[in-house]
Amino acid sequence: MKKTNVLFASSLALMAAQGAFAEDTFKFAMIDPFSGPAAVVSERIEKVLRFAVDDVNGKGGLNGQQIEILTFDNKMSPQETAIQAEKAIDAGARILQTSVSSSNTFALVDFVRKYNRRNPDSKVIVFDGASHDPAITGEKCSYYSFSWVLNAEMKTAGLASYLSGRDDITKVYLLNAEGSSGQTTRQSILDMVGMARPDIEWVGDDTHPLQKITDFTPYIAKIKASGAQAVITSDWGADLALELKAAGESGLEAEWFTYFSTGPGAPTAMAQSGLDGLVYSAFDGDAGIVNDDLAAYEVQFRAATNTSASAFPGDTSAIRALTMAAKVAGTNEVDDLVAALEGIEFETVYGAPAFMRPEDHQIVTQMAVSKFAPVAEGGLDEEGTGWGWTNVALIPADTIALPSTCEMDRP
């Protein structure tokens, strides 16, 4: 009987120790679609996030506290995002991140705004890891929310700067998805590219359902018939991959200017379709940027995961900045971290200086324009295709740092 009691007591002690360890971690929740067509994007983002966190944990974590990643499936639904946010907070999460679809990010920001107001002693922070709607740091801006990628208007400003020197392109077709992000980007293209290049003729302007079309051949036929020399699209994921596949199969020779062609599936579609040098990425950056630290990071990440890291820079930037902020604050308390994150300066995965703008909590850094084509043997290719990115322009941060429209309520 005594032996049984001793074993039982030992088991309780072990369980208590394990519980104490779990509570002692700094919990970081990913709230994204881990099911459905967009799951492939969330899974790649998770790899980048875990790789960055493993590096920090290996060096002692945040002020000696290990970061623990939790994942929650929002099923690509704003309503489900709020439900999963509640579950994440119940599980002890102190940072809630969403990356896939701006509508989900809006839902999370609104949920946390209300939650923090009702629970001043247990506040949480929102990290926007990849969505790019400018409203997130504009009309929807929040003191407890930070965006770690360039927004659509910043990227469009960079694209407009690049296209101002491409007077060989005079006929352009617009192709964007329904929803806030796609339509906000469409308007910014018309405004900014239109201002930089008033001679451009918009020969088409199509809007399509988001992540629901399985064959873009009819759209490509319209583009081909329009005589467009270029297509500009903010599409991503399966939509973009299917568009590029259809473009290659139809023999469309127009150049594509994209915002998310570094993401999963698009590189394979481009290579298989033979779109040699016809697809450009207007993005925070890519593996084609010439930088020794970036190349070393990519080699290390690819050896561990068999995928590219640079397609999702927001997670690397977020963890780098968070680590620095925790050191500055000397604590992992939410209000202290938020104060330390404002104005924090760091280096992105692309080797570029960046800072978190205090006025709206928007990252400000350079952006890149690169094109996709076969790479030399031993070069950094994408998805095992033998094709990769070649940088054609780096747009300085001051060119794309548009004035803030945020009217932030501060505690």
Side-chain angles (χ1 to χ4, degrees), residues 61-403:
L62 300 181
N63 294 316
Q65 193 174 29
Q66 297 282 287
I67 303 173
E68 180 182 357
I69 305 242
L70 310 175
T71 59
F72 297 84
D73 184 7
N74 66 9
K75 302 179 177 64
M76 198 65 174
S77 160
Q79 294 77 17
E80 191 66 26
T81 296
I83 293 171
Q84 296 304 316
E86 186 75 59
K87 292 181 179 179
I89 293 171
D90 288 345
R94 301 167 77 181
I95 291 181
L96 313 182
Q97 174 175 292
T98 187
S99 303
V100 183
S101 178
S102 297
S103 59
N104 295 332
T105 306
F106 293 151
L108 185 59
V109 171
D110 287 342
F111 173 87
V112 168
R113 193 194 316 273
K114 295 171 185 174
Y115 173 84
N116 283 351
R117 192 180 302 128
R118 295 192 301 263
N119 301 275
D121 296 326
S122 57
K123 297 172 185 172
V124 295
I125 304 172
V126 174
F127 274 6
D128 166 26
S131 53
H132 76 155
D133 194 309
I136 294 168
T137 51
E139 63 188 72
K140 291 283 188 179
C141 70
S142 167
Y143 181 70
Y144 291 97
S145 174
F146 294 84
S147 184
W148 299 103
V149 289
L150 301 175
N151 67 42
E153 290 183 347
M154 299 170 82
K155 291 170 185 171
T156 304
L159 178 59
S161 175
Y162 172 74
L163 289 176
S164 66
R166 288 291 306 272
D167 55 10
D168 57 315
I169 296 175
T170 58
K171 296 183 177 182
V172 177
Y173 202 104
L174 296 181
L175 182 61
N176 293 284
E178 295 172 347
S180 173
S181 181
Q183 292 308 296
T184 299
T185 305
R186 170 192 169 274
Q187 190 59 54
S188 72
I189 293 167
L190 289 170
D191 294 342
M192 295 185 194
V193 176
M195 182 177 294
R197 289 289 310 281
D199 59 315
I200 280 180
E201 178 186 357
W202 306 104
V203 296
D205 183 1
D206 272 340
T207 294
H208 63 83
L210 176 64
Q211 302 290 308
K212 292 181 179 178
I213 296 178
T214 57
D215 183 7
F216 277 89
T217 301
Y219 290 91
I220 299 303
K222 290 176 66 177
I223 295 171
K224 199 170 183 178
S226 74
Q229 297 161 314
V231 181
I232 303 178
T233 180
S234 62
D235 287 346
W236 54 276
D239 285 344
L240 182 60
L242 289 170
E243 289 163 9
L244 297 175
K245 178 177 180 291
E249 291 175 348
S250 73
L252 179 66
E253 295 182 356
E255 293 181 297
W256 288 73
F257 292 93
T258 71
Y259 291 76
F260 298 110
S261 53
T262 58
T268 297
M270 289 184 280
Q272 290 178 346
S273 302
L275 298 175
D276 188 346
L278 291 178
V279 182
Y280 291 76
S281 167
F283 194 58
D284 303 55
D286 53 76
I289 294 173
V290 179
N291 178 273
D292 290 342
D293 290 340
L294 170 63
Y297 186 87
E298 278 288 340
V299 168
Q300 184 182 14
F301 184 85
R302 291 170 188 222
T305 67
N306 200 34
T307 60
S308 170
S310 60
F312 294 102
D315 299 281
T316 307
S317 291
I319 297 303
R320 288 182 178 185
L322 177 64
T323 304
M324 293 174 65
K327 186 175 181 180
V328 169
T331 174
N332 295 342
E333 294 302 314
V334 164
D335 281 315
D336 296 306
L337 287 176
V338 170
L341 282 168
E342 288 198 323
I344 198 96
E345 297 181 3
F346 59 98
E347 188 176 277
T348 70
V349 69
Y350 309 117
F355 81 101
M356 177 52 63
R357 189 161 63 180
E359 296 93 322
D360 54 1
H361 295 181
Q362 168 67 57
I363 189 176
V364 177
T365 186
Q366 72 177 26
M367 68 163 277
V369 179
S370 300
K371 65 179 178 179
F372 199 68
V375 296
E377 186 175 350
L380 290 174
D381 76 330
E382 299 293 331
E383 300 181 347
T385 60
W387 291 41
W389 297 102
T390 299
N391 183 251
V392 298
L394 291 175
I395 313 298
D398 58 4
T399 299
I400 63 173
L402 304 174

Side-chain angles (χ1 to χ4, degrees), residues 4-16:
T4 301
N5 287 339
V6 169
L7 288 173
F8 181 67
S10 298
S11 298
L12 287 176
L14 178 60
M15 291 170 65

